[in-house]
Amino acid sequence: MNIRVHVSLKPGVLDPQGRAVHHALEGLGFAGVDEVRVGRLIELDVADDTDDTALTEMCEKLLANTVIENYRIEKVG
Amino acid sequence: MNIRVHVSLKPGVLDPQGRAVHHALEGLGFAGVDEVRVGRLIELDVADDTDDTALTEMCEKLLANTVIENYRIEKVG
């Protein structure tokens, strides 16, 4: 089973990497970019009998820092 | 307009970060994890009149390293 975990910084948390990308885009001449936030995309190939509880636990314990990050679990198939 | 750019390593490209996460998951007792790949998720807030060409160019020039990475542009709304 293929799982995608989308991890992004919570709103309000400072994102220096996003700022750097934003600044670089402006430097390259791309106008009209308002905000950039950089997160992680973790693709896991897990056994088909892995349940949602285990997936949530993986996110809470390791994949995301829930103090400053949100995560979303997506089952790809 | 909100845009999400999903950047992931091409198949076959070594992913040490993914390996480390895989190893850590096993260490935490999660069985049945086969493979882990770590990519980036870049969220952009761009002007509504930004066209697809500009978005593709942003990816090719800055957001993704197309030698080793694939990218996918998703319009969120």
Side-chain angles (χ1 to χ4, degrees), chain A residues 23-74:
Chain A
H23 191 74
L25 284 173
E26 284 179 338
L28 286 169
F30 294 106
V33 180
D34 245 8
E35 210 198 345
V36 182
R37 313 268 299 167
V38 179
R40 286 192 307 286
L41 174 69
I42 304 158
E43 293 171 302
L44 301 123
D45 186 8
V46 298
D48 288 346
D49 60 352
T50 309
D51 59 6
D52 290 0
T53 319
L55 293 175
T56 307
E57 223 178 310
M58 287 181 200
C59 292
E60 301 268 341
K61 281 193 179 168
L62 183 75
L63 303 180
N65 174 356
T66 53
V67 178
I68 55 167
E69 291 171 332
N70 289 322
Y71 65 87
R72 185 165 59 85
I73 299 169
E74 179 193 3

Side-chain angles (χ1 to χ4, degrees), chain A residues 32 34 37 39 41 43 45 47, chain B residues 32 34-35 37 39 41 43 45 47:
Chain A
D34 245 8
R37 313 268 299 167
L41 174 69
E43 293 171 302
D45 186 8
Chain B
D34 246 7
E35 211 198 342
R37 314 268 297 167
L41 174 70
E43 293 171 303
D45 185 9

Side-chain angles (χ1 to χ4, degrees), chain B residues 3-71:
Chain B
I3 303 289
R4 275 196 207 121
V5 177
H6 305 249
V7 180
S8 52
L9 281 170
K10 287 185 179 173
V13 177
L14 194 69
D15 181 6
Q17 199 183 354
R19 284 232 181 147
V21 171
H22 189 178
H23 191 73
L25 284 172
E26 285 179 338
L28 286 170
F30 294 106
V33 180
D34 246 7
E35 211 198 342
V36 182
R37 314 268 297 167
V38 179
R40 286 192 307 286
L41 174 70
I42 303 158
E43 293 171 303
L44 301 123
D45 185 9
V46 299
D48 288 345
D49 60 352
T50 309
D51 58 5
D52 290 0
T53 320
L55 293 175
T56 308
E57 224 179 308
M58 286 181 200
C59 292
E60 301 269 340
K61 281 194 179 169
L62 183 76
L63 304 181
N65 175 355
T66 53
V67 177
I68 55 166
E69 292 171 331
N70 289 323
Y71 65 86

